[in-house]
Amino acid sequence: VNFATLVATNASRIGLAAGQDKVLLEFGCRRAQGPNGALMASKWSFVGGFHRTSNVYAGKLFGIPISGTQAHSWVQSYCSLEDVNLKTVRVNGVEHDLFSI
């Protein structure tokens, strides 16, 4: 109960400080204490008022919308910008240049 209330309360306080018009995303999976800690932190952040998580498994398991950045390993797999074949990405029907984002 201590961990759950700690995370949910902090998430709620962050939401209050940010304002109700903001969408809050939880990105704590990489810094959590083990896989179960990451999973539960994602869950309790959502309960506390966050809107999305970067934890795909938590999204699937608990029905939390997922959102986040691209994998660092994908970026690091290229030696230079000239090596990247994918130059644009379509998000919600809008084409974006990856290098200008």
Side-chain angles (χ1 to χ4, degrees):
V1 174
N2 286 340
F3 181 68
T5 57
L6 169 76
V7 175
T9 300
N10 281 334
S12 178
R13 288 178 177 167
I14 291 167
L16 290 171
Q20 291 184 350
D21 60 327
K22 304 295 187 285
V23 176
L24 304 174
L25 296 98
E26 176 273 316
F27 289 94
C29 190
R30 292 185 303 163
R31 291 177 176 75
Q33 300 298 313
N36 190 50
L39 188 64
M40 291 298 105
S42 297
K43 176 183 179 178
W44 297 118
S45 292
F46 185 67
V47 168
F50 273 52
H51 302 95
R52 299 195 173 108
T53 181
S54 65
N55 187 330
V56 176
Y57 186 54
K60 180 179 179 176
L61 197 62
F62 303 121
I64 304 170
I66 57 171
S67 188
T69 62
Q70 62 192 15
H72 293 85
S73 58
W74 182 79
V75 174
Q76 293 173 335
S77 69
Y78 295 97
C79 294
S80 69
L81 292 177
E82 291 75 30
D83 293 339
V84 179
N85 294 324
L86 181 65
K87 307 287 187 203
T88 62
V89 63
R90 183 175 297 277
V91 178
N92 296 328
V94 178
E95 193 85 10
H96 295 278
D97 177 7
L98 287 173
F99 302 122
S100 68
I101 294 178

